[in-house]
């Protein structure tokens, strides 16, 4: 899977590397090649467009990191965007709920439902040691039951015995009753496929859905069908509530476009991929590992992450030095806010000051909007005002409030907050941590942050 895309992207990157420095023209031409590579991999146009515009926008707004080259930066951006369209976090199969809990597999004829159910059952049994019952609800295709029965036997998992001429709805009810008696944790239901989506099939699935109240309804999609898989997913999710999908036959699909388009176009996360006919040919779908496989540039990605991290550290250390000398003006507050934005908390800075590590953890709950507002207020001050906040009189306050789209009381609040923090820094630098006790800290530290700035 993804061989073609992988090769194409690597060609783009190797010619980028040769270019050395990257200007907008070089970036444009690289993005054109990436666009073509994605389209050839059968990724849907909608997704390709979004992909390209995200990467381009980020590439242009990117901070320059000295120790890495622009081409390395672009590789990292493409990597991140690949992970993003693949769904970011790994979506795990849900197996918790009222017992017996039902999992239902649905999909078109021949998509790989019966094979996948056996693969999934073995996976869940060995990973979570659950008691599983397999049930065939396919009363249409001759020998559908026998196919599942053979697989169940191979993996040593129980299957609900066949009763002739029972409707899928009645089999479902019988399965739940049998599971309750036999201490079954999970029932995996195999359903009938159709050559195309028809109303009867959907009606049957809807009825089964209301009987089973499944904790997972997984759509089985044949990745070889490419863009069609996306339409199938859209159609199914219009009618029943899908919780995820299993993409089968990725072993025969060199393009991988379905995998790359599915999450973004349908919102349905891929939970597993089937990569062969054997029972063990199933894999959890990890977006980051898949992206890594496509790019095959793991070392570059790690390098860029490390470089970006070290920049944050340098900044934080520089500020910590100033703080230790008792200096803390509004510029420091601004870079602290920037650090907060980047690293998600005041703790990132405070941890560099001996004894303040735990204190930092407590203050790690400042909300994003509040941070943006604080930043806007400080940015509306002149450089001199930031260095000498005392000079900010009421007319200056009004100008600052106007410039930042806030009101004077908010400007006052920041100034007050800054005064308190500066005072705290001064005490710490003079007396060490004992200086904080005069302020009633650390217990009181969260009070330094206005309550509306804390996450609800
Ligand atoms: N190469 C490969 N073949 C697969 C994979 N998954 C299923 N198959 C094959 O696809 C064929 C159909 O699989 P089934 O599991 O019977 O499909 P189904 O959706 O249950 O089919 P119906 O019940 O007829 O709707 C079988 O020959 C499987 O061996 C896979 O991941 N890779
Ligand atoms: Mg089947």
């Amino acid at each position: 899977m993804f061989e073609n895309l992988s090769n194409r992207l690597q060609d783009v990157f190797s010619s980028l590397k040769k270019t050395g420095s990257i200007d907008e023209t070089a970036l444009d031409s690289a993005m054109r090649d990436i666009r073509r590579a994605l389209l050839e991999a059968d990724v849907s146009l909608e997704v390709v467009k979004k992909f390209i515009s995200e990467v381009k926008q980020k590439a242009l707004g990117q901070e320059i990191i000295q120790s890495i080259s622009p081409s390395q930066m672009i590789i990292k951006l493409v990597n991140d965007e690949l992970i993003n369209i693949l769904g970011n976090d790994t979506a795990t199969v849900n197996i918790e709920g009222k017992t017996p809990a039902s999992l239902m597999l649905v999909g078109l004829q021949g998509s790989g439902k019966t094979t996948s159910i056996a693969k999934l059952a073995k996976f869940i049994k060995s990973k979570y040691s659950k008691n599983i019952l397999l049930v065939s609800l396919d009363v249409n295709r001759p020998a559908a039951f026998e196919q599942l029965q053979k697989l169940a036997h191979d993996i040593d998992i129980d299957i609900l015995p066949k009763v002739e001429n029972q409707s899928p709805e009645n089999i479902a009810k019988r399965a739940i009753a049998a599971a309750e008696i036999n201490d079954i944790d999970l029932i995996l239901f195999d359903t009938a496929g159709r050559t195309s989506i028809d109303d009867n099939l959907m009606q049957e699935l809807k009825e089964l859905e209301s009987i089973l109240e499944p904790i997972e309804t997984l759509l089985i999609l044949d990745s070889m069908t490419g863009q069609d898989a996306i339409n199938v997913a859209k159609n199914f999710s219009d009618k029943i509530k899908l919780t995820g999908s299993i993409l089968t036959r990725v072993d025969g699909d060199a393009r991988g476009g379905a995998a790359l388009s599915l999450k973004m176009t349908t919102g349905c996360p891929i939970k597993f991929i089937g990569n062969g006919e054997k029972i063990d040919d199933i894999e959890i779908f990890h977006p980051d590992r898949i992206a890594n496989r496509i790019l095959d540039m793991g070392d570059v990605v790690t390098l860029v992450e490390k470089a970006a991290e070290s920049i944050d550290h340098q900044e934080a250390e520089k500020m910590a030095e100033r703080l230790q000398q008792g200096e803390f003006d509004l510029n420091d507050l601004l870079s602290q806010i920037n650090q907060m934005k980047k690293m998600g908390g005041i703790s990132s800075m405070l941890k560099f000051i001996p004894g303040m590590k735990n204190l930092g953890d407590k203050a790690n709950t400042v909300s994003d909007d509040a941070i943006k507002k604080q930043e806007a207020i400080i940015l509306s001050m002149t450089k001199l005002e930031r260095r000498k906040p005392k000079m900010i009189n009421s007319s200056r306050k009004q100008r600052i409030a106007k410039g930042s789209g806030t009101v004077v009381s908010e400007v006052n609040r920041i100034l007050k907050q800054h005064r308190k923090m500066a005072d705290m820094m001064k005490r710490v630098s003079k007396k060490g941590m004992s200086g904080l006790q005069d302020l009633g800290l650390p217990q009181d530290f969260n009070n330094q942050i206005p309550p509306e700035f804390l996450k609800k």
Side-chain angles (χ1 to χ4, degrees):
M1 195 189 200
F2 303 123
E3 288 89 350
N4 300 355
L5 180 61
S6 191
N7 293 337
R8 293 292 305 267
L9 288 179
Q10 281 172 37
D11 287 348
V12 177
F13 292 140
S14 56
S15 60
L16 259 185
K17 270 188 205 152
K18 277 182 218 135
T19 323
S21 74
I22 296 174
D23 54 12
E24 223 179 313
T25 330
L27 179 68
D28 274 345
S29 124
M31 292 322 291
R32 253 197 318 276
D33 290 344
I34 292 174
R35 181 191 157 90
R36 204 173 307 136
L38 288 167
L39 287 173
E40 275 173 25
D42 206 22
V43 181
S44 83
L45 187 61
E46 183 190 343
V47 174
V48 175
K49 277 188 181 155
K50 177 141 192 308
F51 189 101
I52 298 295
S53 89
E54 286 288 315
V55 173
K56 224 165 151 177
Q57 198 188 332
K58 285 187 187 140
L60 292 173
Q62 200 58 226
E63 278 177 67
I64 307 295
I65 300 178
Q66 298 288 333
S67 54
I68 60 162
S69 71
S71 68
Q72 288 169 324
M73 197 70 224
I74 290 179
I75 293 173
K76 170 74 165 74
L77 291 174
V78 169
N79 175 76
D80 290 354
E81 196 50 31
L82 273 179
I83 297 175
N84 187 31
I85 65 169
L86 288 166
N88 277 311
D89 300 324
T90 303
T92 46
V93 61
N94 180 17
I95 50 163
E96 304 300 339
K98 59 172 177 51
T99 41
S102 300
L103 279 78
M104 180 159 83
L105 271 64
V106 302
L108 292 187
Q109 201 167 69
S111 55
K113 292 177 294 300
T114 309
T115 316
S116 296
I117 214 166
K119 289 177 177 179
L120 190 61
K122 184 169 178 212
F123 173 87
I124 295 174
K125 184 184 165 189
S126 54
K127 188 151 192 233
Y128 304 104
S129 44
K130 294 275 181 189
N131 270 338
I132 300 173
L133 177 69
L134 297 184
V135 179
S136 173
L137 298 175
D138 185 354
V139 295
N140 299 330
R141 194 162 61 74
F145 172 84
E146 285 73 16
Q147 183 194 359
L148 187 64
Q149 187 181 40
K150 172 161 186 323
L151 290 165
H153 178 262
D154 291 347
I155 55 177
D156 194 22
I157 289 180
D158 291 336
I159 181 167
L160 186 79
K162 188 173 180 176
V163 172
E164 292 296 336
N165 299 325
Q166 232 180 1
S167 68
E169 291 77 15
N170 285 335
I171 302 175
K173 287 177 194 157
R174 178 161 60 90
I176 294 172
E180 276 165 0
I181 297 166
N182 292 300
D183 257 351
I184 295 291
D185 305 309
L186 289 178
I187 320 176
L188 270 55
F189 289 94
D190 188 13
T191 61
R194 298 289 149 84
T195 45
S196 64
I197 293 163
D198 61 43
D199 290 345
N200 286 343
L201 169 75
M202 285 305 166
Q203 195 49 40
E204 181 178 303
L205 290 179
K206 265 181 126 124
E207 275 167 36
L208 288 171
E209 189 181 37
S210 70
I211 295 169
L212 300 177
E213 297 175 351
I215 53 168
E216 283 277 6
T217 302
L218 297 174
L219 176 65
I220 312 306
L221 289 168
D222 180 350
S223 71
M224 304 274 284
T225 58
Q227 296 274 321
D228 266 354
I230 311 298
N231 294 330
V232 170
K234 280 185 181 155
N235 277 315
F236 269 85
S237 68
D238 278 349
K239 306 282 175 2
I240 56 172
K241 187 176 164 288
L242 298 174
T243 56
S245 68
I246 300 181
L247 213 52
T248 62
R249 291 210 190 87
V250 302
D251 47 310
D253 169 31
R255 303 199 291 172
L260 283 156
S261 316
L262 193 66
K263 178 67 203 286
M264 196 156 273
T265 48
T266 67
C268 182
I270 303 170
K271 298 201 168 180
F272 293 93
I273 48 180
N275 50 4
E277 289 188 83
K278 291 195 291 299
I279 287 284
D280 291 318
D281 294 335
I282 184 166
E283 233 179 80
I284 297 177
F285 187 81
H286 295 289
D288 51 345
R289 289 187 212 167
I290 301 274
N292 217 333
R293 231 187 273 173
I294 297 174
L295 286 187
D296 198 18
M297 297 265 174
D299 44 345
V300 175
V301 172
T302 320
L303 179 87
V304 176
E305 277 164 3
K306 288 255 165 66
E309 244 171 49
S310 85
I311 281 205
D312 286 341
H313 275 265
Q314 281 164 16
E315 250 175 50
E317 272 170 10
K318 229 188 275 162
M319 173 141 64
E321 238 165 62
R322 278 174 56 76
L323 297 184
Q324 274 171 325
Q325 288 157 10
E327 288 171 35
F328 189 77
D329 64 16
L330 281 157
N331 282 312
D332 294 317
L333 186 57
L334 183 65
S335 50
Q336 185 196 324
I337 288 169
N338 280 329
Q339 284 281 330
M340 273 201 223
K341 275 204 311 201
K342 264 191 220 157
M343 303 172 91
I346 190 174
S347 59
S348 61
M349 178 210 45
L350 291 179
K351 72 180 171 218
F352 287 99
I353 305 174
M356 291 189 80
K357 186 167 179 293
N358 298 334
L359 209 58
D361 290 343
K362 277 195 181 169
N364 212 355
T365 42
V366 181
S367 78
D368 293 344
D369 283 355
I371 288 177
K372 269 191 210 130
K373 208 182 252 182
Q374 289 186 327
E375 189 183 18
I377 292 174
I378 300 177
L379 285 173
S380 298
M381 298 173 185
T382 64
K383 276 191 183 144
L384 194 61
E385 285 168 345
R386 281 183 231 165
R387 241 181 302 137
K388 297 192 186 319
K390 281 205 180 104
M391 69 186 289
I392 302 178
N393 57 20
S394 63
S395 70
R396 283 174 189 264
K397 281 178 190 169
Q398 273 170 14
R399 193 208 72 235
I400 293 164
K402 210 169 163 203
S404 58
T406 59
V407 290
V408 169
S409 66
E410 285 174 303
V411 177
N412 278 332
R413 196 174 305 131
I414 282 241
L415 291 172
K416 190 172 162 201
Q417 186 194 353
H418 164 254
R419 265 198 311 279
K420 277 189 175 179
M421 293 184 100
D423 188 29
M424 184 176 85
M425 296 308 169
K426 220 171 254 159
R427 280 169 199 250
V428 175
S429 74
K430 275 198 196 129
K431 301 188 187 172
M433 284 308 283
S434 66
L436 288 182
Q437 264 134 37
D438 309 346
L439 291 168
L441 293 164
Q443 297 87 340
D444 205 23
F445 187 76
N446 266 349
N447 298 347
Q448 304 296 317
I449 299 169
E452 70 272 22
F453 284 4
L454 294 173
K455 273 185 188 153
K456 299 271 156 18

